Amino acid sequence: MASLRLSSYRPKHLAEPPGSSTDPGRRSLLRGGVLSAAALGVGASALASPAAQAAGIHGQDVSGWQGEVDWAAQAAAGSRFAWVKATEGRTYRSPAFNHQYRGAGDAGLVRGGYHFARPDSGGPEEQVDFFLANGGGWSDDGRTLPGMVDFEGYEGLPADYGLGQQEMREWIATFSTRYREATTRRPVIYTNYYWWRDVVGDWTPKNSPLFLAAYQDAAPTRLPGRWWAWELWQYSDSGPFAGDSVRWYGGEDSFARFVGEKDYGAEGI
């Protein structure tokens, strides 16, 4: 297998050690606020990056690494939505999930849970069921994001988790189908170009919104598998928001459909 070329990307969603935390002050103003970069604890380069300054709908994803998040500050800075790590594999539940999820919702953000897939530690049906039982569900209430499933490498394990390419495709497809049967929605697929290229190859699960990690200034045009467009772009892990900063591809109407429609039709596949 070709080596992964991830000099500008590193896995962010590994299981957090108990009691761990990071600086929760990585945020900035995207739309006409008054807080300075120094006051927010964000470097000037993060504030000035073209991705952060681009017009549109911005949000974030967080995990236990962020600890207690000042969600009011995230909302004031322009964050509209947040995915919160709920589970990993078939046994790990983030101890930060409850307060992060509630806090995001109380601040007015649309919020949802995400699952870090571990194909080495249990079948996809088992992992979907565990995810759904621990915060990963969806409802058409207009304020709950569909579940997101994170596919990337894990430190200390083979990039392919010991599965062949076809086995990995079947694992992903089964996870997606199981989630849709339970919620009427396909899960959002989070990944990066190189991991998908080397492990999954020229294939994409049916009607699955792409959440692409690509830490760069310009919107990504190199896409994994058979996607022809991304729906969500994770453009930074160093601000403007706590955790990872994310941009939605479209405007208000498309975002409302994404949040609220049963069996939503993905833009890029």
Side-chain angles (χ1 to χ4, degrees):
M1 176 179 293
S3 61
L4 297 180
R5 295 182 294 168
L6 301 180
S7 60
S8 63
Y9 174 78
R10 60 184 184 276
K12 289 295 296 179
H13 306 312
L14 308 184
E16 304 83 17
S20 67
S21 63
T22 57
D23 176 15
R26 299 187 302 178
R27 58 185 72 96
S28 74
L29 297 185
L30 294 180
R31 294 192 244 174
V34 295
L35 298 181
S36 68
L40 291 168
V42 180
S45 60
L47 289 170
S49 72
Q53 293 296 321
I57 298 172
H58 291 250
Q60 62 202 109
D61 62 81
V62 298
S63 68
W65 291 109
Q66 280 67 60
E68 294 282 349
V69 175
D70 185 343
W71 289 106
Q74 306 304 299
S79 181
R80 297 276 303 280
F81 60 88
W83 269 280
V84 178
K85 182 174 183 178
T87 52
E88 178 176 313
R90 58 189 175 88
T91 59
Y92 177 82
R93 186 180 192 276
S94 172
F97 175 78
N98 284 349
H99 67 77
Q100 290 180 338
Y101 186 89
R102 283 197 304 265
D106 289 347
L109 278 67
V110 181
R111 73 283 185 266
Y114 80 82
H115 175 76
F116 189 100
R118 289 287 303 273
D120 64 314
S121 69
E125 299 98 332
E126 184 180 15
Q127 293 196 29
V128 168
D129 293 347
F130 181 62
F131 180 39
L132 291 170
N134 290 280
W138 175 80
S139 64
D140 59 352
D141 58 6
R143 57 195 303 264
T144 304
L145 294 166
M148 180 257 280
V149 55
D150 182 342
F151 290 102
E152 59 179 303
Y154 192 100
E155 186 176 358
L157 295 176
D160 60 8
Y161 295 92
L163 300 185
Q165 186 178 80
Q166 186 58 36
E167 291 175 311
M168 183 64 78
R169 292 177 181 182
E170 291 173 358
W171 202 100
I172 294 169
T174 302
F175 188 103
S176 178
T177 298
R178 179 77 160 205
Y179 190 86
R180 182 180 183 276
E181 288 172 348
T183 67
T184 76
R185 291 293 300 264
R186 297 279 181 183
V188 176
I189 303 291
Y190 170 100
T191 194
N192 66 79
Y193 172 82
Y194 294 109
W195 185 87
W196 197 274
R197 181 199 65 183
D198 292 348
V199 175
V200 182
D202 186 25
W203 176 85
T204 295
K206 181 180 179 181
N207 196 24
S208 300
L210 173 62
F211 188 153
L212 184 64
Y215 300 157
Q216 57 194 55
D217 287 340
T221 56
R222 182 169 54 185
L223 304 178
R226 297 186 178 182
W227 278 289
W228 60 77
W230 51 267
E231 241 124 319
L232 295 135
W233 167 31
Q234 184 188 82
Y235 57 83
S236 171
D237 65 349
S238 58
F241 302 117
D244 302 305
S245 299
V246 182
R247 179 179 154 195
W248 172 251
Y249 85 98
E252 296 293 341
D253 289 345
S254 62
F255 186 67
R257 290 195 303 273
F258 172 72
V259 173
E261 280 189 1
K262 295 181 178 179
D263 206 19
Y264 165 83
E267 173 69 16
I269 190 64

